[in-house]
Amino acid sequence: MGFLLPPLPQEFLRQWVEDPDVEVIVHNAAFDLLFLCQLWPDLRPRNIWDTKLAEQLFILGREYELGEDPFTLSTLSDVYLGVQLDKGNVRTSFAPFVPLTDEQVEY
């Protein structure tokens, strides 16, 4: 089961990402980890599961025809869960911690 988390103190986020007992599931983790490693150059992420990388490995060497970018969260959600995501709610500004809209929570 996933959880929608409110904005977290930075140090809590770091502890969460470095804790080997916490499984962090992210789509395109390289993107997020790039920013976190700039914030904390000595960051040592541990138990990270990247759904985009997993799909790329899963289909390695097989025919795959799902449009321009078959590895988007939207495509994977549609293919595996039958859920079509409204991409209009992808971009969100969390500074200065503006509450999420109902549509963003649904996304």
Side-chain angles (χ1 to χ4, degrees):
M1 171 179 240
F3 297 94
L4 179 65
L5 299 174
L8 303 170
Q10 288 183 353
E11 227 16 73
F12 178 80
L13 179 61
R14 180 184 180 140
Q15 290 171 4
W16 190 45
V17 170
E18 290 185 326
D19 187 339
D21 295 326
V22 174
E23 185 177 59
V24 179
I25 301 172
V26 181
H27 186 77
N28 196 9
F31 180 81
D32 297 312
L33 290 174
L34 174 69
F35 291 100
L36 293 177
C37 287
Q38 288 177 357
L39 182 61
W40 302 297
D42 62 335
L43 180 73
R44 298 295 174 253
R46 297 294 189 252
N47 198 2
I48 307 290
W49 177 261
D50 185 338
T51 57
K52 181 175 182 175
L53 179 59
E55 179 66 3
Q56 289 170 333
L57 292 171
F58 180 69
I59 65 116
L60 191 63
R62 289 192 274 150
E63 295 278 329
Y64 202 78
E65 298 177 18
L66 288 176
E68 288 182 33
D69 188 355
F71 306 114
T72 65
L73 180 60
S74 179
T75 299
L76 297 183
S77 173
D78 187 27
V79 169
Y80 292 108
L81 304 174
V83 175
Q84 296 180 346
L85 300 177
D86 176 5
K87 299 302 283 184
N89 293 300
V90 173
R91 305 270 186 253
T92 299
S93 172
F94 290 105
F97 300 113
V98 177
L100 297 175
T101 66
D102 291 340
E103 291 80 15
Q104 290 168 321
V105 171
E106 178 67 25
Y107 173 77

